[in-house]
Amino acid sequence: MADLADYREALLAPQPFWATLSPTTVKQRIEQLLAAPDSAALVQALSPVEYTVLLKAAPDMRAMLLQLGHPEQIRTVLDLDCWHKDTLQSPRVLEWLEALQHSGEDICVQTLQALDSEMLSVVLHRHIRVNAALPSEEEDPDPYDEVLSNELYRVAFIDPDSPLNERVAEFLRLLRMTDLDMYYSLMQGTMWAEESDLEEWAYRWKTGRLQDEGIPDYYEALEAYHVVDVEPLDALPPVPLEPPGVPASAEESGLVPSYAWSLTPSGSLLALALQGDFTPATLERLCWEMVSLCNKAVVLDQVDFADTTAVRASLECVHAYVNIGLEYLSNQVPRQLVPLLTERSLMSICQVGFSLSMRLRQRASHLQVHLNGAAGVRRALPGLARYVVDGLLQTTWHPQFFVGLESPGDTVYRDFLRFQDICLVDAVLQSLEHDPAYGLARQAA
């Protein structure tokens, strides 16, 4: 496991790779790994999130990275990348199966043996129909693919025009050449098992593995992000400190995943707080709590790991909510920072920051509903206010801050980063809520 110096470094020496995450920095990172004499060990020590980002964001270097990975590690990548909430994305599975075939027979066969048969059966179930072959003297009433069929099975594509058929065919050819037992098992599963049952079991297996890595499923992550009552300030009860378990891969490597604490807003109160004097136990807890929060965020945001901008934005948002919550709870008094981080969980602080921004969205939604009802159509707001309200009501999971409030003339949006952002937007909403032209004050009375 990591020691005290490692935890201190994780807090105070963030990895620039994550703060500058882009296709270019991903390729540079991979080149560094491949150039190292112990490249296989370095790749196998990567956290699941980092390994997935490297594989997805640099497809032209994917084969080399897969060759250096461990079969169980690659299986975790599929666990992360091939599910949308509780639904298996079979095209993504087929994409990974094709990538494995291009990575060398050894790692391909070893990884196939590590994958869940239920998941593979679901993929086949969605693309082919399998029937037992009839005796040679009997004529098969249904059309079938003569290339994929054999003396035991009659196989036909469900959609003859699907662009994924070639990947399915290549996968079945590979199985017949390398692992007949698996081939027969998958054919039987595809022929007889219910797809819904197979998918449910595949979901259970992948959920259990990801939980061992400190990565929750979507619905568990959703529970962590709920609006809490943040007023009055003194009434906010401290949440019991229950440090999250150490991810299985981190337990083995002894390393804190490098995305923890690598995107703290520069010059923020949170950055100042991390320089405080913490006990070894608190340092350790802060590291693993931030890893847990970041894992929840990438699951909740359903990020495409190939989109480095989306990955970075998801991780930045976690750090920003913690910073906002810390500024609010401390009244921006520096001496309160270390006690707050010592006595409160990062999750509770993050929920405060998240709730402050979501309450602004709720107010903006109420305002817009009132205006629509009063006017019969979407009623116009003054230019600045319109931008502010539109930012709060964007369809993204996280409300957006209109940068023009702090930089006049700028018309872009970003995530909320500081409590000052909350205050600026609150002032705009208050002016609208108390403006007699819109009638909200009369409605409240």
Side-chain angles (χ1 to χ4, degrees), residues 218 221-222 224-227 293-303 309-322 324 350-362 364 387-402 413-417 422 425:
Y218 177 83
L222 188 62
Y225 279 83
H226 63 271
V227 177
L293 281 175
C294 289
N295 290 344
K296 287 181 171 69
V298 296
V299 169
L300 188 61
D301 293 337
Q302 294 286 284
V303 297
T309 300
V311 174
R312 187 177 69 248
S314 183
L315 299 175
E316 284 175 337
C317 211
V318 175
H319 293 72
Y321 283 144
V322 173
I324 294 171
C350 182
Q351 284 178 330
V352 170
F354 172 73
S355 299
L356 288 168
S357 67
M358 289 302 291
R359 288 179 65 191
L360 295 176
R361 170 175 280 181
Q362 292 169 350
Y387 280 118
V388 170
V389 171
D390 283 348
L392 294 173
L393 298 181
Q394 284 191 19
T395 55
T396 59
W397 172 256
H398 306 285
Q400 296 292 288
F401 173 77
F402 176 56
Y413 294 95
R414 62 164 171 79
D415 291 324
F416 285 81
L417 299 178
I422 302 289
V425 173

Side-chain angles (χ1 to χ4, degrees), residues 102-120:
H102 295 159
S103 303
E105 183 175 332
D106 288 346
I107 190 63
C108 179
V109 172
Q110 292 170 21
T111 303
L112 286 178
Q113 292 171 347
L115 296 179
D116 298 326
S117 61
E118 292 87 351
M119 179 192 73
L120 296 174

Side-chain angles (χ1 to χ4, degrees), residues 120-137:
L120 296 174
S121 292
V122 170
V123 173
L124 295 178
H125 219 286
R126 292 174 179 174
H127 294 279
I128 61 174
R129 182 179 65 253
V130 180
N131 292 306
L134 296 174
S136 57
E137 63 272 11

Side-chain angles (χ1 to χ4, degrees), residues 228-239 328-329 331 344 348 352:
V228 298
D229 187 4
V230 297
E231 293 180 353
L233 183 60
D234 294 339
L236 281 173
V239 176
Y328 178 78
L329 292 170
N331 284 316
R344 289 183 177 271
S348 68
V352 170

Side-chain angles (χ1 to χ4, degrees), residues 29 119 135 138 146 196 203 217 280 349 356 364:
R29 172 75 169 131
M119 179 192 73
E138 296 186 29
E146 294 184 0
S196 58
Y203 179 75
D217 73 352
I349 297 173
L356 288 168

Side-chain angles (χ1 to χ4, degrees), residues 80-252:
L80 267 176
D81 189 55
C82 296
W83 292 83
H84 177 73
K85 299 180 182 178
D86 55 0
T87 301
L88 182 66
Q89 305 296 294
S90 55
R92 288 197 177 182
V93 179
L94 289 169
E95 178 186 345
W96 284 111
L97 293 176
E98 183 179 60
L100 283 167
Q101 292 175 62
H102 295 159
S103 303
E105 183 175 332
D106 288 346
I107 190 63
C108 179
V109 172
Q110 292 170 21
T111 303
L112 286 178
Q113 292 171 347
L115 296 179
D116 298 326
S117 61
E118 292 87 351
M119 179 192 73
L120 296 174
S121 292
V122 170
V123 173
L124 295 178
H125 219 286
R126 292 174 179 174
H127 294 279
I128 61 174
R129 182 179 65 253
V130 180
N131 292 306
L134 296 174
S136 57
E137 63 272 11
E138 296 186 29
E139 183 177 347
D140 199 313
D142 297 317
Y144 59 87
D145 188 290
E146 294 184 0
V147 175
L148 294 183
S149 301
N150 51 58
E151 67 280 2
L152 294 177
Y153 302 108
R154 292 291 181 260
V155 181
F157 289 114
I158 293 175
D159 178 5
D161 300 321
S162 171
L164 298 175
N165 287 348
E166 185 57 33
R167 287 180 174 176
V168 175
E170 286 299 324
F171 173 56
L172 291 176
R173 292 189 193 105
L174 173 68
L175 281 181
R176 292 201 70 189
M177 290 188 298
T178 61
D179 195 331
L180 275 176
D181 288 340
M182 179 182 289
Y183 172 80
Y184 293 140
S185 175
L186 292 179
M187 288 293 100
Q188 290 295 114
T190 305
M191 187 163 51
W192 299 111
E194 291 289 337
E195 181 183 327
S196 58
D197 292 340
L198 292 168
E199 188 172 30
E200 181 180 348
W201 278 109
Y203 179 75
R204 290 184 184 182
W205 298 138
K206 80 94 184 177
T207 299
R209 287 192 295 268
L210 290 182
Q211 285 176 340
D212 289 342
E213 291 293 345
I215 302 173
D217 73 352
Y218 177 83
Y219 301 100
E220 183 183 346
L222 188 62
E223 291 176 2
Y225 279 83
H226 63 271
V227 177
V228 298
D229 187 4
V230 297
E231 293 180 353
L233 183 60
D234 294 339
L236 281 173
V239 176
L241 297 179
E242 298 179 359
V246 178
S249 58
E251 187 84 55
E252 184 175 341

